[in-house]
Amino acid sequence: GAGVSQSPSNKVTEKGKDVELRCDPISGHTALYWYRQSLGQGLEFLIYFQGNSAPDKSGLPSDRFSAERTGGSVSTLTIQRTQQEDSAVYLCASRHWGGRVETQYFGPGTRLLVL
Amino acid sequence: SQQGEEDPQALSIQEGENATMNCSYKTSINNLQWYRQNSGRGLVHLILIRSNEREKHSGRLRVTLDTSKKSSSLLITASRAADTASYFCATDGRETSGSRLTFGEGTQLTVNP
């Protein structure tokens, strides 16, 4: 596609339920990033993929958070047993690796509300 | 965690005026990028400046980088009401893996018609 897409746009869930957030990066971008933006915390890094591998998961806030990427393309961020503090906008970005283009391109985000 | 700081936190100007936003960071960088965000959703990339560059222009945008002071500024000239948004700087640090970005706190710009 022309840009990074994310689904769903909005997700309302009850505390304790699991949620899956999807990211479709720009075609050909081998690097994929998840960030979270919450009130009072700003934009924070969660996890980074190079191909299907995740060399850096250091930003995942707890073991309730996990992510995977398949086929070097689509990525899914899963939050198990959601808590109210998980409410935030989850942003995905991708970039071409190698060459001189270093820009990360962001998707529109998924706004998650945990009641 | 946020290691960048931006000032001002909020800026309100009249259409046609120039807007200047500043960003400071703490570590050595490969590049610094500026993004715009409308209504708390996706980030739109504005401009990237590499660590060996001092100034860059793109349309009405001018970015400067001072690596000795670990600071950058974004100037928007002849502002328009449509420029109203939050602006973030983000650094690609030399010590961080995979070129992950570290964001500043952001500046909320309001351009009054």
Side-chain angles (χ1 to χ4, degrees):
Chain A
V4 179
S5 60
Q6 292 185 246
S7 61
S9 298
N10 296 282
K11 177 73 177 179
V12 181
T13 190
E14 293 179 348
K15 178 181 170 181
K17 295 281 176 81
D18 298 352
V19 295
E20 279 191 357
L21 311 179
R22 176 188 167 110
C23 171
D24 219 320
I26 292 172
S27 178
H29 282 192
T30 56
L32 184 148
Y33 306 80
W34 284 98
Y35 296 88
R36 177 170 76 171
Q37 185 176 30
S38 45
L39 282 174
Q41 295 295 321
L43 275 147
E44 55 182 346
F45 165 80
L46 298 178
I47 186 169
Y48 143 69
F49 286 91
Q50 184 63 263
N52 293 334
S53 301
D56 188 350
K57 307 178 184 180
S58 62
L60 295 178
S62 76
D63 59 9
R64 296 186 295 104
F65 287 72
S66 63
E68 65 175 14
R69 189 178 185 195
T70 55
S73 181
V74 171
S75 175
T76 303
L77 177 69
T78 301
I79 309 173
Q80 295 178 311
R81 305 181 302 282
T82 51
Q83 304 293 312
Q84 288 180 331
E85 61 262 28
D86 299 335
S87 296
V89 177
Y90 289 81
L91 293 159
C92 175
S94 71
R95 64 162 277 185
H96 174 68
W97 198 261
R100 291 203 28 99
V101 179
E102 300 162 50
T103 301
Q104 286 189 27
Y105 296 92
F106 282 78
T110 293
R111 188 181 299 277
L112 174 66
L113 178 60
V114 182
L115 301 175
Chain B
S1 63
Q2 296 292 314
Q3 69 165 325
E5 293 181 1
E6 292 177 63
D7 76 272
Q9 288 189 330
L11 179 62
S12 182
I13 59 174
Q14 295 300 121
E15 211 165 25
E17 295 180 339
N18 297 340
T20 300
M21 288 160 269
N22 302 297
C23 165
S24 62
Y25 57 91
K26 297 180 182 176
T27 63
S28 296
I29 62 171
N30 294 314
N31 64 63
L32 184 145
Q33 304 179 40
W34 284 91
Y35 289 87
R36 184 185 75 215
Q37 185 179 44
N38 291 86
S39 304
R41 297 309 294 260
L43 298 170
V44 175
H45 183 262
L46 296 176
I47 197 165
L48 179 152
I49 187 165
R50 294 190 173 86
S51 60
N52 62 351
E53 297 175 315
R54 291 297 166 257
E55 187 171 313
K56 209 162 181 182
H57 297 253
S58 177
R60 295 185 294 114
L61 305 180
R62 174 180 163 244
V63 169
T64 62
L65 179 65
D66 186 335
T67 53
S68 66
K69 295 181 179 177
K70 291 187 167 59
S71 67
S72 174
S73 68
L74 171 67
L75 168 68
I76 304 174
T77 60
S79 63
R80 305 166 182 168
D83 294 330
T84 295
S86 293
Y87 291 82
F88 293 89
C89 67
T91 53
D92 173 357
R94 289 190 190 279
E95 304 302 321
T96 56
S97 66
S99 293
R100 71 185 211 200
L101 297 177
T102 302
F103 284 85
E105 302 292 331
T107 294
Q108 172 61 49
L109 172 67
T110 301
V111 181
N112 301 299

